[in-house]
Amino acid sequence: MSDYRPAARVHEARDALAAIERCYAEGWTDGLPVVPPTSQLVAAAVAASGRAPDEVVARIAPREAEATVEKVAINAVMAGCLPEYLPVVIAAVEAVADPVFNLNGVQACTDVAGILLVVHGSIAKQLGVNAAGNVLGQGFRANATIGRALRLVLMNLGGGIPQQTDMSTLGQPGKLSYCMAENEPESPWEPLHVERGFAASESAVTVFAAEAPHAIGDFVSSTPEGLLDTIADSLTTLGSMTLYFGGELFLVLCPQHAAVFAEAGWSKADVRRHFFEIARKPATEITRFGLDRQVPAHYWPVGTDWSSNGSVALLRRPEDLVILVAGGRAGRFSAGIPGWGYRDARSVTRRVSSRPEDNRA
Amino acid sequence: MNGFTFLDPTPEVKAEASQAVGRRLSELAGRRIGLFDNSKNQGDVILERVGELLRERYGVATVVPFRKPNYSDPAADELLDQIAAEVEGVVFAIAA
């Protein structure tokens, strides 16, 4: 490690505390102090990535600058990542650079989008990514730092700077970090990455441009119909961007809510189909203050009935409801996480390529 | 030498160098100018007025409308090629 020769410019400081302040002064942080990325720390992170330091992972919008493995490692170290987190961070960077994700739009828009990062498979367990109680909150190094590393890459390499290029009106707390795993033992179904064609133990990440979680409490419903009535009503709102722009909506079901569907023998497809049918907004509610004109006319589904009998489905397609199971066994709060699914932008699931010896099931 | 060193998290090569800026027109009289509507509400209204003013005040010969159907996605390469082929300059606005 002592003979690692970085390609990056080297900065000097009096000591580590001074380096932390220097990073603040340069605008390289998310507002929280960063771990100064010493050559030694970065070398360890690069080594754990299993890749060459000068390999280009992706070009990051809006600046379209090259994110090399070394540059990603520098930002991951600043975020507080352990070296073994690097393959996940790299996969997340590759995933957001997929054209279908439309990172340029996400980085620039006035919307409240953060980037939800879901870690799947062996590596989630291996790294201790929290999938249980407080899954979307604080307290777990992997969750907090992997999500943070992605944001630092988007800022420092992508140039997504608040009030300059990132014109988000409000932002949201998930822009600091927004990283989770599925609570697979508590799920009656196959997890998301298996739905998307990966083997259960195969490591992968999903990235999703997403709002903050919308809490859905239901302590009473013991039937799928009752629970979905609550969930659909909670999410089919006049302020929902999904209603106007389409795109995906992630539903994070807590274990107790997932059990309601399990006990009735409902599959994910059953849940999607029923949700799609009932999650509808009467046309008159949309038109009463002119919200139908909020988007160009061709954004609405063909054949939309705007009469007093008509209604508009929240989702353009049942498949747009993406179902995850996560959280603690105590409590009956699930969360709807609407996406920045403007038109054709989609979530992306990408394999984590780590060295074979790291992938212990 | 100071005791503590650390690495720079930002790009080494300025990305601006990889994208050339188009030549600017020195005058507008007699030109063909494009008006690029990104489909945001009432952008077409503003652009139409801009087109009128370009002809009335600056002697632009012809204005040509262009449109991309979704304001959140980048313009398709074919559309950009078409604009470059048909007009000498283009007005494009970004609005919330």
Side-chain angles (χ1 to χ4, degrees):
Chain A
M1 300 274 195
S2 58
D3 51 9
Y4 180 80
R5 297 210 187 286
R9 277 160 291 166
V10 178
H11 298 286
E12 295 184 349
R14 187 179 64 250
D15 54 28
L17 292 177
I20 291 173
E21 289 306 317
R22 173 77 184 281
C23 287
Y24 267 125
E26 295 285 352
W28 292 337
T29 84
D30 53 5
L32 292 170
V34 293
V35 175
T38 63
S39 192
Q40 184 176 10
L41 289 174
V42 173
V46 170
S49 77
R51 306 212 195 174
D54 59 352
E55 180 186 328
V56 177
V57 175
R59 289 188 170 273
I60 311 295
R63 191 186 266 155
E64 298 297 335
E66 285 186 345
T68 61
V69 167
E70 181 182 274
K71 286 295 181 182
V72 173
I74 291 169
N75 283 279
V77 166
M78 290 167 73
C81 287
L82 290 169
E84 50 261 43
Y85 298 174
L86 258 293
V88 175
V89 178
I90 288 171
V93 173
E94 291 171 340
V96 300
D98 188 316
V100 75
F101 187 80
N102 192 0
L103 182 63
N104 189 63
V106 178
Q107 285 270 67
C109 66
T110 52
D111 203 319
V112 297
I115 299 183
L116 176 66
L117 206 167
V118 188
V119 187
H120 308 288
S122 300
I123 203 152
K125 301 170 192 51
Q126 191 184 320
L127 300 184
V129 183
N130 182 31
N134 210 43
V135 59
L136 291 170
Q138 83 293 358
F140 297 82
R141 185 172 187 168
N143 302 58
T145 63
I146 291 171
R148 193 184 183 208
L150 177 61
R151 177 55 55 187
L152 290 178
V153 165
L154 296 182
M155 295 182 74
N156 292 330
L157 294 171
I161 306 299
Q163 303 174 10
Q164 294 182 26
T165 47
D166 176 354
M167 299 310 288
S168 182
T169 310
L170 292 179
Q172 59 115 325
K175 292 180 79 168
L176 283 155
S177 181
Y178 205 2
C179 177
M180 61 175 284
E182 280 202 77
N183 194 335
E184 295 182 23
E186 295 288 344
S187 175
W189 303 302
E190 57 184 19
L192 177 62
H193 67 299
V194 173
E195 279 190 87
R196 292 186 169 185
F198 294 82
S201 63
E202 207 170 349
S203 298
V205 298
T206 295
V207 292
F208 176 51
E211 297 182 7
H214 296 230
I216 304 165
D218 183 328
F219 313 149
V220 168
S221 294
S222 58
T223 65
E225 293 85 354
L227 182 53
L228 281 171
D229 192 51
T230 305
I231 294 171
D233 183 80
S234 301
L235 298 172
T236 311
T237 69
L238 291 177
S240 163
M241 291 297 96
T242 312
L243 183 66
Y244 304 97
F245 293 96
E248 294 162 309
L249 173 58
F250 275 39
L251 176 61
V252 181
L253 289 171
C254 65
Q256 288 204 41
H257 282 166
V260 170
F261 297 113
E263 279 152 25
W266 279 40
S267 66
K268 281 191 177 183
D270 294 329
V271 173
R272 280 192 274 262
R273 193 164 37 241
H274 189 80
F275 180 90
F276 179 77
E277 290 302 318
I278 67 172
R280 305 186 71 88
K281 201 63 166 165
T284 51
E285 291 186 30
I286 301 173
T287 58
R288 105 186 128 206
F289 286 108
L291 284 170
D292 53 318
R293 287 178 273 115
Q294 175 160 242
V295 290
H298 65 276
Y299 279 30
W300 294 105
V302 172
T304 295
D305 178 2
W306 291 109
S307 74
S308 57
N309 299 319
S311 64
V312 180
L314 175 67
L315 301 178
R316 295 296 187 269
R317 318 172 312 166
E319 309 84 85
D320 287 338
L321 186 69
V322 178
I323 300 169
L324 303 172
V325 176
R329 302 183 73 188
R332 289 188 164 227
F333 288 92
S334 290
I337 302 183
W340 183 90
Y342 282 44
R343 302 299 277 159
D344 300 321
R346 319 294 294 172
S347 63
V348 173
T349 301
R350 176 123 185 142
R351 183 175 154 264
V352 175
S353 91
S354 45
R355 295 166 298 176
E357 62 265 29
D358 290 334
N359 241 343
R360 295 181 297 273
Chain B
M1 155 159 158
N2 285 336
F4 194 87
T5 60
F6 61 101
L7 302 179
D8 191 296
T10 64
E12 293 302 314
V13 175
K14 292 303 168 203
E16 292 78 58
S18 70
Q19 288 194 9
V21 175
R23 276 187 315 110
R24 291 292 178 262
L25 299 173
S26 53
E27 80 315 310
L28 295 173
R31 299 286 191 182
R32 287 175 64 84
I33 302 296
L35 301 173
F36 190 163
D37 177 5
N38 68 353
S39 292
K40 285 250 180 176
N41 276 357
Q42 303 189 76
D44 54 344
V45 174
I46 293 172
L47 285 170
E48 187 179 327
R49 183 63 185 136
V50 167
E52 288 171 3
L53 291 172
L54 284 173
R55 284 182 299 232
E56 288 166 22
R57 297 190 191 172
Y58 296 94
V60 162
T62 316
V63 293
V64 181
F66 299 97
R67 183 168 163 272
K68 66 169 180 169
N70 171 18
Y71 51 77
S72 303
D73 283 335
D77 286 344
E78 300 77 39
L79 178 58
L80 296 176
D81 290 341
Q82 183 190 356
I83 294 172
E86 290 188 24
V87 294
E88 300 165 89
V90 63
V91 176
F92 179 66
I94 297 174

